[in-house]
Amino acid sequence: MIPPDETFNGTFPFEPHFSDSLGFRMHYVDEGEGEALILLHGEPTWGYLYRNFIPPLSETHRVIVPDHMGFGKSETPQDRVYTLKTHVENLTALIDELDQHDITFIVQDWGGMISSAYAVRHLDRVKRFCVMNTNIGSVGPRSTNRPLSPWFQWIGKHYEAGTLDETLGNLGSNVLSVMKIIGLENMSVVDDTWVRAYSAPFPDQASCIGAINFPLDIYLRRTRDYVGEAAHLIPELSSKPAMMVEGMQDHGGIPEFAIGIFREMYPDAPITELPNAGHFCQEDAPEIIVPLIQQFLKLT
């Protein structure tokens, strides 16, 4: 776990906040005032991914950026089950503790599944979605035939060979390589501070338990039953305003597939394709994405 006051040479200067409502320390950034924007990261990142989003968005909104259990400045308990359901329960407890309503979710990677699994169970609390390189409400005919992206092919190869724990258990040393596999395109952002920030949550293999289990949830289809419990409510999400930004150099997902699912749910919603951005579009093109989100918030 990263020390609470670590700012990584001033690149992450936000005051740390912690929730202990579920028996472990869950870190979150809480900046600004007004209607809540909840920004959710995925694999193998943490709130640092949104460091360029927080200042401008917090000028007009309350910006809340949690670190999922096992990531960033949150604790990595070894006696917990790291599944989609658990992460949704953690998010639910935090939202309840902060008593948030009219939430806009700004999500990428696992943030899409976590936010949509939360939303179908708490439709009255969710106002909008801003979706980046992820799926929300990914059930139905298209998702049953989901193709394996290069990232999940890589996960499958190492899982079947019995080397996945060793490979993803060394993120403290190879996090840049893993992010390149998934789809990081803007190498100009990478310096010693950047590498230290993304490596810091993973000093040893035990600290990587969350990062190991995120992709296994998909590869082993462990999410199916939990998602299926509320699948009948997925169409209700289409009543919420939504926008999408998709980095087309994504290797973690398949952009055309993600865009297709989004268009089925939101046929009239704006979609911006970024031809030179990858899975971590927050790193690749924040100067494009933040104004798009700000415009969307004003219009809806």
Side-chain angles (χ1 to χ4, degrees):
M1 188 171 70
I2 301 169
D5 58 352
E6 175 64 74
T7 69
F8 297 100
N9 295 331
T11 60
F12 197 75
F14 313 108
E15 180 183 354
H17 300 267
F18 291 91
S19 169
D20 296 297
S21 58
L22 284 179
F24 76 98
R25 294 194 90 198
M26 184 175 189
H27 170 260
Y28 62 98
V29 169
D30 191 349
E31 299 278 321
E33 297 179 353
E35 210 172 73
L37 312 179
I38 298 183
L39 286 58
L40 299 180
H41 70 86
E43 164 91 353
T45 58
W46 59 284
Y48 193 77
L49 186 68
Y50 288 108
R51 67 195 180 280
N52 296 314
F53 285 53
I54 296 169
L57 294 179
S58 64
E59 292 177 3
T60 54
H61 290 76
R62 183 177 182 182
V63 178
I64 300 167
V65 188
D67 291 335
H68 302 309
M69 181 175 69
F71 294 84
K73 294 185 179 183
S74 291
E75 284 187 331
T76 309
Q78 298 297 302
D79 59 348
R80 298 297 180 96
V81 178
Y82 287 76
T83 63
L84 172 63
K85 180 179 180 180
T86 305
H87 289 297
V88 174
E89 290 171 347
N90 294 342
L91 177 65
T92 302
L94 178 64
I95 290 173
D96 287 348
E97 182 177 321
L98 299 178
D99 192 27
Q100 290 304 296
H101 300 265
D102 292 326
I103 297 164
T104 297
F105 279 116
I106 299 175
V107 297
Q108 177 257 2
D109 192 89
W110 271 92
M113 290 193 71
I114 293 170
S115 63
S116 56
Y118 172 86
V120 294
R121 292 165 172 84
H122 306 87
L123 285 166
D124 59 324
R125 289 200 172 197
V126 179
K127 186 172 183 178
R128 312 179 188 90
F129 284 97
C130 301
V131 180
M132 299 172 287
N133 289 88
T134 188
N135 300 319
I136 62 171
S138 54
V139 298
R142 288 182 62 88
S143 61
T144 55
N145 297 312
R146 179 194 300 269
L148 277 182
S149 68
W151 166 240
F152 283 103
Q153 292 176 35
W154 186 87
I155 291 294
K157 178 185 72 173
H158 281 285
Y159 176 76
E160 302 301 336
T163 56
L164 185 62
D165 284 8
E166 178 182 350
T167 304
L168 282 185
N170 282 289
L171 285 170
S173 301
N174 64 10
V175 70
L176 175 57
S177 297
V178 169
M179 289 176 70
K180 283 290 291 178
I181 292 170
I182 302 172
L184 174 70
E185 297 300 307
N186 183 14
M187 292 301 291
S188 69
V189 301
V190 178
D191 57 19
D192 290 346
T193 299
W194 188 99
V195 172
R196 186 165 66 88
Y198 280 120
S199 300
F202 308 116
D204 52 33
Q205 185 166 320
S207 65
C208 298
I209 185 172
I212 293 169
N213 276 278
F214 256 152
L216 283 179
D217 240 18
I218 293 293
Y219 184 74
L220 299 178
R221 304 194 176 196
R222 298 188 310 206
T223 63
R224 181 181 295 175
D225 290 346
Y226 181 64
V227 171
E229 288 174 8
H232 63 288
L233 294 172
I234 291 291
E236 299 292 332
L237 295 183
S238 62
S239 67
K240 310 293 182 180
M243 62 166 281
M244 183 182 214
V245 176
E246 187 75 8
M248 301 304 289
Q249 302 302 315
D250 190 347
H251 310 301
I254 297 177
E256 294 78 10
F257 180 79
I259 291 170
I261 287 180
F262 186 82
R263 280 195 171 130
E264 285 182 359
M265 290 189 64
Y266 303 105
D268 300 318
I271 299 174
T272 302
E273 298 181 13
L274 302 178
N276 298 317
H279 187 73
F280 303 103
C281 57
Q282 301 98 318
E283 295 285 358
D284 292 336
E287 73 286 354
I288 297 174
I289 300 171
V290 171
L292 289 173
I293 293 173
Q294 291 172 318
Q295 181 184 40
F296 173 72
L297 294 174
K298 288 179 182 178
L299 293 175
T300 57

